[in-house]
Amino acid sequence: MQTQKSYEKTETGMLYLVPTPIGNLEDMTFRAIRMLKEADLIAAEDTRNTQKLLNHFEIQTSQISFHEHNSNERTPKLIERMIAGETIAQVSDAGMPSISDPGVDLVKAAIEAGIAVVPLPGANAALPALIASGISPQPFYFHGFLPRKKKDLHTELETLNKRQETIIFYESPHRLKALLEQIEKVMGPDRKIVLARELTKRYEEFIRGTVSEVSEWAQAEQIRGEFCVILEGNAHPILDQEIAEWQNWSVKEHVEKLMESDGLNSKQAIKEVSILREQPKRDIYSEYHEI
């Protein structure tokens, strides 16, 4: 067990986790600017990118590169410097350190060494996209980037399809269409989804609709910019133990049983069955009415 009082004076230095703007420099906080000025060293994901930020705010603190390819080598050295009394500010290229960015290994090592780790609030893509999506903001599940390989992506989406919370993804422009195709295949066409593109930047855009509508939009567009994807949770997740209950029923039997047990009319029951079976409502309607 460990207790940290962030602002008590200690013999060691401290690690500050400093968020940086994701596109709009006005989102840099006064406190973040002050901490970058007061730190003895800035550990930056890309020193060239961070230097532009430092120049804009007239910050002269020295930098050292710290990213996923050199974190094993750099982490012990940074810990030594903080044990010796130096204060280090860690930044990623944009947004919160450690969230789909380098930083978590340094945080763990600092905690193990008894060094105070102090997070600053600030810019990130996930929460602004969530609160402007129009989809229920809580509870939510942040997933970040999905697997690149198609088979792994499909498997991961099948697992996520059991979650009732709103789900947040990050996605790059060249993979967005494939992601939407897989979401429609695994989770169905009617789930609500929002694409938040280029948040805080000049071309910020929100695309809201069902999975099928947004997928159709993506196929017709030349996709540019980084995306935060907000996906409605599954209101009726199929748990493994529940599958056997209805998998041998016909669609007509399934609809009728829901009408009887839940007091639904046929339209409502057809909608519920389409969600449970992950099939379009029109197909369930046709089979129920034997069209």
Side-chain angles (χ1 to χ4, degrees):
M1 177 177 171
Q2 183 191 82
T3 300
Q4 172 185 313
K5 294 186 182 296
S6 298
Y7 302 106
E8 279 190 352
K9 288 187 177 181
T10 62
E11 294 181 359
T12 64
M14 301 175 73
L15 175 61
Y16 282 90
L17 305 178
V18 182
T20 54
I22 61 175
N24 192 324
L25 289 176
E26 292 181 351
D27 292 334
M28 191 71 172
T29 68
F30 292 118
R31 186 183 176 201
I33 294 170
R34 177 173 65 82
M35 292 315 309
L36 293 182
K37 287 182 177 180
E38 293 179 359
D40 296 298
L41 182 69
I42 298 171
E45 181 178 3
D46 185 332
T47 55
R48 296 165 299 179
N49 184 69
T50 300
Q51 191 61 52
K52 298 174 185 176
L53 179 71
L54 302 184
N55 292 341
H56 181 83
F57 290 106
E58 299 180 349
I59 299 169
Q60 298 180 1
T61 309
S62 298
Q63 295 189 75
I64 186 171
S65 67
F66 181 78
H67 47 73
E68 60 180 337
H69 302 296
N70 69 4
S71 62
N72 289 338
E73 171 196 349
R74 288 281 162 86
T75 294
K77 296 177 181 179
L78 293 174
I79 295 298
E80 287 178 7
R81 295 182 69 155
M82 286 186 282
I83 289 175
E86 292 189 19
T87 292
I88 293 178
Q90 200 253 323
V91 301
S92 64
D93 282 348
M96 288 282 183
S98 296
I99 303 296
S100 296
D101 278 315
V104 65
D105 292 335
L106 182 58
V107 170
K108 289 179 179 178
I111 291 171
E112 289 173 2
I115 296 166
V117 178
V118 181
L120 273 64
N124 69 89
L127 293 181
L130 177 64
I131 62 174
S133 68
I135 296 175
S136 179
Q138 59 191 44
F140 69 87
Y141 174 77
F142 176 80
H143 191 280
F145 287 99
L146 285 156
R148 293 179 179 273
K149 293 182 179 179
K150 187 175 181 179
K151 183 179 179 181
D152 295 339
L153 171 61
H154 188 90
T155 300
E156 191 70 22
L157 288 175
E158 285 185 330
T159 300
L160 292 170
N161 194 33
K162 298 175 183 178
R163 305 199 72 98
Q164 292 180 291
E165 311 97 323
T166 298
I167 306 172
I168 305 176
F169 304 114
Y170 287 158
E171 193 53 274
S172 57
H174 65 278
R175 294 176 55 200
L176 182 71
K177 292 180 182 180
L179 171 62
L180 292 171
E181 289 174 0
Q182 286 298 309
I183 289 176
E184 184 167 10
K185 184 176 295 185
V186 174
M187 301 181 176
D190 298 324
R191 192 85 65 88
K192 291 180 182 178
I193 193 170
V194 176
L195 307 181
R197 186 179 79 90
E198 294 291 87
L199 285 166
T200 79
K201 301 176 185 176
R202 179 181 178 184
Y203 296 105
E204 177 179 287
E205 183 177 17
F206 289 87
I207 299 92
R208 304 179 177 96
T210 64
V211 171
S212 61
E213 290 170 342
V214 172
S215 183
E216 185 177 343
W217 170 88
Q219 295 301 326
E221 291 290 321
Q222 185 174 358
I223 305 299
R224 295 189 179 94
E226 298 299 318
F227 287 83
C228 186
V229 181
I230 310 296
L231 178 66
E232 183 180 39
N234 190 346
H236 304 280
I238 306 169
L239 303 178
D240 293 340
Q241 62 269 28
E242 294 176 338
I243 293 176
E245 183 180 358
W246 56 260
Q247 64 179 351
N248 294 322
W249 297 347
S250 69
V251 166
K252 188 176 182 66
E253 288 174 331
H254 200 170
V255 171
E256 289 175 346
K257 285 181 182 294
L258 282 185
M259 290 171 64
E260 181 181 352
S261 63
D262 297 351
L264 304 177
N265 60 36
S266 61
K267 182 178 180 181
Q268 293 169 326
I270 286 169
K271 180 179 179 181
E272 292 297 310
V273 170
S274 74
I275 293 171
L276 287 169
R277 290 177 178 254
E278 299 175 6
Q279 295 178 21
K281 283 188 292 185
R282 60 179 178 274
D283 293 349
I284 302 297
Y285 180 91
S286 297
E287 194 166 343
Y288 174 68
H289 290 286
E290 296 179 352
I291 298 175

